[in-house]
Amino acid sequence: MHLDFANLLNLVSTITLIGALVFTGLQVRAANQARREQAAVTVIETAALSENSARFLELLSEIPEGASAAVIENLDVDTRRQIFLFGLRVEIIGYMVFHGLVDVQTVNDLAGGAILSFWSRAKSWSLERRKRTGDDEFLEWCEWLATQIAQYRATRPYVPAYSRIQARQI
């Protein structure tokens, strides 16, 4: 088989184009991974590392599960504001999950229990506020996310991290 100069240039050009496409694909994959990692960091910062999260989670334990709207409405203004702010943080996380910026497994692992606990206590209050104000968007992503986490846990029972580690060591 005889390769003339034109055929050799076509071959080099084709190999170069294939190499460029492979390189581009690898770069896109790396960028997507970096985006997912940054989204997970954002979830951690939003849900777990905010200034008031620990104080709020302690407060949350004082509100009974399935609390009526009146229970929350009768709390002091600062406590209601903390509930509202935590709900807004969960809204952001729900929106991120919905748009695929972070997956529900990551959110479940990092904050699933806190989100389910929050929603079980704030649900009636949120629904009552929606009725009263006509604002159907109030904590909509929070409700959606709590539903997603509950569905996720229904098909994959949650195993705490310390138990997963112990199971791997056996």
Side-chain angles (χ1 to χ4, degrees):
M1 178 193 268
H2 176 22
L3 284 177
D4 62 11
F5 188 68
N7 286 336
L8 182 62
L9 287 177
N10 280 337
L11 180 63
V12 169
S13 176
T14 301
I15 290 171
T16 303
L17 181 61
I18 291 171
L21 290 173
V22 168
F23 178 75
T24 301
L26 292 172
Q27 290 297 307
V28 167
R29 191 165 100 185
N32 286 338
Q33 179 63 31
R35 182 181 54 81
R36 281 190 296 275
E37 290 170 358
Q38 182 58 44
V41 168
T42 301
V43 167
I44 292 168
E45 290 173 344
T46 301
L49 298 179
S50 69
E51 180 180 326
N52 297 321
S53 291
R55 191 174 14 181
F56 176 74
L57 291 174
E58 184 178 345
L59 165 78
L60 195 61
S61 68
E62 297 173 12
I63 300 170
E65 282 195 40
S68 69
V71 168
I72 293 177
E73 285 298 327
N74 290 330
L75 295 170
D76 63 87
V77 173
D78 185 55
T79 302
R80 284 196 317 270
R81 184 174 60 248
Q82 287 183 36
I83 291 169
F84 182 74
L85 290 173
F86 189 83
L88 291 178
R89 287 194 292 271
V90 174
E91 285 278 281
I92 293 166
I93 296 168
Y95 183 82
M96 291 173 70
V97 171
F98 181 79
H99 287 285
L101 299 173
V102 66
D103 62 20
V104 73
Q105 179 183 354
T106 300
V107 173
N108 179 56
D109 287 349
L110 294 172
I115 292 168
L116 291 175
S117 179
F118 170 76
W119 186 247
S120 75
R121 289 157 170 83
K123 181 178 180 177
S124 294
W125 172 69
S126 175
L127 297 176
E128 180 60 35
R129 183 171 172 149
R130 288 177 192 171
K131 285 182 201 172
R132 188 178 73 244
T133 64
D135 181 9
D136 289 339
E137 296 175 358
F138 181 70
L139 297 183
E140 66 180 320
W141 293 111
C142 181
E143 179 176 4
W144 179 86
L145 182 58
T147 301
Q148 298 306 304
I149 291 170
Q151 289 174 352
Y152 182 87
R153 287 186 176 195
T155 59
R156 298 165 201 84
Y158 184 72
V159 178
Y162 60 84
S163 294
R164 283 185 253 169
I165 291 168
Q166 288 172 353
R168 287 184 198 159
Q169 293 174 352
I170 295 176

